[in-house]
mmCIF file of all heavy atoms in Angstrom:
data_model
loop_
_atom_site.group_PDB
_atom_site.id
_atom_site.type_symbol
_atom_site.label_atom_id
_atom_site.label_comp_id
_atom_site.label_asym_id
_atom_site.label_seq_id
_atom_site.Cartn_x
_atom_site.Cartn_y
_atom_site.Cartn_z
ATOM 1 N N ASP A 285 37.894 -16.658 -1.568
ATOM 2 C CA ASP A 285 37.647 -16.471 -2.998
ATOM 3 C C ASP A 285 37.152 -17.755 -3.632
ATOM 4 O O ASP A 285 37.687 -18.832 -3.370
ATOM 5 C CB ASP A 285 38.941 -16.030 -3.696
ATOM 6 C CG ASP A 285 39.295 -14.599 -3.338
ATOM 7 O OD1 ASP A 285 38.486 -13.713 -3.649
ATOM 8 O OD2 ASP A 285 40.351 -14.383 -2.712
ATOM 9 N N GLY A 286 36.145 -17.642 -4.450
ATOM 10 C CA GLY A 286 35.621 -18.821 -5.140
ATOM 11 C C GLY A 286 34.678 -18.384 -6.229
ATOM 12 O O GLY A 286 34.757 -17.262 -6.714
ATOM 13 N N ASP A 287 33.791 -19.270 -6.604
ATOM 14 C CA ASP A 287 32.788 -18.861 -7.589
ATOM 15 C C ASP A 287 31.454 -19.497 -7.224
ATOM 16 O O ASP A 287 31.368 -20.287 -6.298
ATOM 17 C CB ASP A 287 33.241 -19.214 -9.015
ATOM 18 C CG ASP A 287 33.420 -20.700 -9.188
ATOM 19 O OD1 ASP A 287 32.487 -21.461 -8.850
ATOM 20 O OD2 ASP A 287 34.494 -21.117 -9.663
ATOM 21 N N LEU A 288 30.445 -19.108 -7.981
ATOM 22 C CA LEU A 288 29.084 -19.539 -7.648
ATOM 23 C C LEU A 288 28.630 -20.731 -8.482
ATOM 24 O O LEU A 288 27.484 -21.133 -8.391
ATOM 25 C CB LEU A 288 28.105 -18.379 -7.880
ATOM 26 C CG LEU A 288 28.112 -17.275 -6.823
ATOM 27 C CD1 LEU A 288 27.277 -16.092 -7.298
ATOM 28 C CD2 LEU A 288 27.583 -17.798 -5.500
ATOM 29 N N SER A 289 29.535 -21.281 -9.276
ATOM 30 C CA SER A 289 29.065 -22.279 -10.218
ATOM 31 C C SER A 289 28.546 -23.523 -9.509
ATOM 32 O O SER A 289 29.091 -23.950 -8.500
ATOM 33 C CB SER A 289 30.188 -22.652 -11.187
ATOM 34 O OG SER A 289 31.251 -23.203 -10.445
ATOM 35 N N LEU A 290 27.501 -24.081 -10.065
ATOM 36 C CA LEU A 290 26.933 -25.329 -9.561
ATOM 37 C C LEU A 290 27.064 -26.374 -10.669
ATOM 38 O O LEU A 290 26.684 -26.102 -11.801
ATOM 39 C CB LEU A 290 25.434 -25.159 -9.287
ATOM 40 C CG LEU A 290 24.968 -24.602 -7.961
ATOM 41 C CD1 LEU A 290 23.444 -24.496 -7.975
ATOM 42 C CD2 LEU A 290 25.425 -25.488 -6.806
ATOM 43 N N PRO A 291 27.561 -27.554 -10.350
ATOM 44 C CA PRO A 291 27.572 -28.591 -11.376
ATOM 45 C C PRO A 291 26.143 -28.956 -11.786
ATOM 46 O O PRO A 291 25.216 -28.822 -10.994
ATOM 47 C CB PRO A 291 28.256 -29.779 -10.691
ATOM 48 C CG PRO A 291 28.435 -29.411 -9.277
ATOM 49 C CD PRO A 291 28.094 -27.982 -9.068
ATOM 50 N N GLU A 292 25.997 -29.389 -13.035
ATOM 51 C CA GLU A 292 24.660 -29.710 -13.532
ATOM 52 C C GLU A 292 24.537 -31.196 -13.837
ATOM 53 O O GLU A 292 25.521 -31.852 -14.175
ATOM 54 C CB GLU A 292 24.388 -28.913 -14.818
ATOM 55 C CG GLU A 292 24.432 -27.426 -14.567
ATOM 56 C CD GLU A 292 23.942 -26.595 -15.750
ATOM 57 O OE1 GLU A 292 23.355 -27.164 -16.696
ATOM 58 O OE2 GLU A 292 24.143 -25.366 -15.706
ATOM 59 N N LEU A 293 23.339 -31.704 -13.743
ATOM 60 C CA LEU A 293 23.082 -33.087 -14.141
ATOM 61 C C LEU A 293 23.221 -33.192 -15.658
ATOM 62 O O LEU A 293 22.717 -32.344 -16.392
ATOM 63 C CB LEU A 293 21.671 -33.500 -13.715
ATOM 64 C CG LEU A 293 21.496 -33.674 -12.204
ATOM 65 C CD1 LEU A 293 20.018 -33.778 -11.846
ATOM 66 C CD2 LEU A 293 22.252 -34.900 -11.699
ATOM 67 N N ALA A 294 23.906 -34.229 -16.094
ATOM 68 C CA ALA A 294 24.144 -34.376 -17.531
ATOM 69 C C ALA A 294 22.940 -35.030 -18.194
ATOM 70 O O ALA A 294 22.428 -36.051 -17.722
ATOM 71 C CB ALA A 294 25.396 -35.217 -17.760
ATOM 72 N N ASP A 295 22.516 -34.436 -19.295
ATOM 73 C CA ASP A 295 21.408 -34.977 -20.089
ATOM 74 C C ASP A 295 21.928 -36.160 -20.902
ATOM 75 O O ASP A 295 22.793 -36.000 -21.755
ATOM 76 C CB ASP A 295 20.858 -33.874 -20.997
ATOM 77 C CG ASP A 295 19.693 -34.352 -21.837
ATOM 78 O OD1 ASP A 295 19.248 -35.507 -21.667
ATOM 79 O OD2 ASP A 295 19.217 -33.548 -22.661
ATOM 80 N N GLN A 296 21.390 -37.351 -20.619
ATOM 81 C CA GLN A 296 21.888 -38.547 -21.303
ATOM 82 C C GLN A 296 21.111 -38.875 -22.558
ATOM 83 O O GLN A 296 21.367 -39.897 -23.202
ATOM 84 C CB GLN A 296 21.842 -39.739 -20.331
ATOM 85 C CG GLN A 296 22.839 -39.566 -19.204
ATOM 86 C CD GLN A 296 22.360 -40.189 -17.911
ATOM 87 O OE1 GLN A 296 21.298 -40.786 -17.848
ATOM 88 N NE2 GLN A 296 23.156 -40.048 -16.857
ATOM 89 N N ASP A 297 20.138 -38.049 -22.883
ATOM 90 C CA ASP A 297 19.339 -38.312 -24.078
ATOM 91 C C ASP A 297 19.548 -37.161 -25.040
ATOM 92 O O ASP A 297 19.213 -36.017 -24.738
ATOM 93 C CB ASP A 297 17.861 -38.421 -23.680
ATOM 94 C CG ASP A 297 17.009 -38.901 -24.837
ATOM 95 O OD1 ASP A 297 17.285 -38.484 -25.986
ATOM 96 O OD2 ASP A 297 16.086 -39.679 -24.600
ATOM 97 N N SER A 298 20.107 -37.476 -26.197
ATOM 98 C CA SER A 298 20.450 -36.391 -27.118
ATOM 99 C C SER A 298 19.214 -35.868 -27.860
ATOM 100 O O SER A 298 19.280 -34.833 -28.511
ATOM 101 C CB SER A 298 21.497 -36.870 -28.116
ATOM 102 O OG SER A 298 20.986 -38.012 -28.774
ATOM 103 N N ALA A 299 18.091 -36.572 -27.761
ATOM 104 C CA ALA A 299 16.892 -36.109 -28.469
ATOM 105 C C ALA A 299 16.472 -34.756 -27.927
ATOM 106 O O ALA A 299 16.475 -34.547 -26.715
ATOM 107 C CB ALA A 299 15.762 -37.119 -28.305
ATOM 108 N N PRO A 300 16.090 -33.836 -28.811
ATOM 109 C CA PRO A 300 15.604 -32.549 -28.318
ATOM 110 C C PRO A 300 14.281 -32.759 -27.586
ATOM 111 O O PRO A 300 13.520 -33.659 -27.915
ATOM 112 C CB PRO A 300 15.403 -31.722 -29.589
ATOM 113 C CG PRO A 300 15.326 -32.702 -30.708
ATOM 114 C CD PRO A 300 16.050 -33.946 -30.275
ATOM 115 N N GLY A 301 14.041 -31.945 -26.594
ATOM 116 C CA GLY A 301 12.767 -32.034 -25.887
ATOM 117 C C GLY A 301 12.750 -33.073 -24.789
ATOM 118 O O GLY A 301 11.745 -33.243 -24.105
ATOM 119 N N ILE A 302 13.853 -33.810 -24.615
ATOM 120 C CA ILE A 302 13.909 -34.790 -23.520
ATOM 121 C C ILE A 302 15.179 -34.558 -22.714
ATOM 122 O O ILE A 302 16.272 -34.472 -23.275
ATOM 123 C CB ILE A 302 13.902 -36.243 -24.046
ATOM 124 C CG1 ILE A 302 12.616 -36.487 -24.838
ATOM 125 C CG2 ILE A 302 14.026 -37.229 -22.893
ATOM 126 C CD1 ILE A 302 12.499 -37.876 -25.389
ATOM 127 N N VAL A 303 15.013 -34.416 -21.431
ATOM 128 C CA VAL A 303 16.165 -34.307 -20.539
ATOM 129 C C VAL A 303 16.109 -35.526 -19.633
ATOM 130 O O VAL A 303 15.164 -35.705 -18.864
ATOM 131 C CB VAL A 303 16.115 -32.997 -19.721
ATOM 132 C CG1 VAL A 303 17.193 -32.990 -18.647
ATOM 133 C CG2 VAL A 303 16.284 -31.794 -20.650
ATOM 134 N N GLU A 304 17.098 -36.394 -19.783
ATOM 135 C CA GLU A 304 17.088 -37.659 -19.057
ATOM 136 C C GLU A 304 18.348 -37.735 -18.205
ATOM 137 O O GLU A 304 19.452 -37.644 -18.727
ATOM 138 C CB GLU A 304 17.042 -38.818 -20.061
ATOM 139 C CG GLU A 304 16.864 -40.152 -19.396
ATOM 140 C CD GLU A 304 16.588 -41.273 -20.407
ATOM 141 O OE1 GLU A 304 16.568 -40.990 -21.624
ATOM 142 O OE2 GLU A 304 16.416 -42.418 -19.962
#
Side-chain angles (χ1 to χ4, degrees):
D285 288 299
D287 62 52
L288 284 170
S289 62
L290 275 178
E292 299 190 12
L293 289 167
D295 181 5
Q296 292 148 2
D297 189 322
S298 56
I302 300 180
V303 171
E304 187 171 1

